[in-house]
Amino acid sequence: MCLAVPVEVVALTGPGRALANMGGVRREIDVSLLDGLEVGDFVILHVGFALQKLDRVEAERTLAMLQQMAAQQQ
């Protein structure tokens, strides 16, 4: 099973590259599939590639659900 997760873009680091925040962990990702990306945007990330932009409200709701599921596993 594959999972794509919402992440927030915290910096644009070069052509087609950005720094993303994933729950406090920062990682460089490939954003070459997206146009017009800005710092503060949320994207759906899958195996290091940003696949599409995501509305902030939807991203935060999805992240909250993932946190709830993780808490239930403990």
Side-chain angles (χ1 to χ4, degrees), residues 14-68:
R17 307 295 294 171
L19 188 64
N21 179 28
M22 297 176 279
V25 176
R26 290 184 175 203
R27 175 178 170 192
E28 191 168 40
I29 63 171
D30 187 307
V31 295
S32 61
L33 300 173
L34 303 176
D35 291 324
L37 197 62
E38 298 178 7
V39 171
D41 285 344
F42 277 84
V43 297
I44 295 293
L45 184 70
H46 177 64
V47 292
F49 290 88
L51 301 178
Q52 72 181 53
K53 289 185 190 180
L54 185 63
D55 174 80
R56 176 175 288 278
V57 173
E58 182 66 25
E60 290 172 348
R61 187 172 61 175
T62 301
L63 290 169
M65 284 190 298
L66 290 171
Q67 289 173 343
Q68 287 175 348

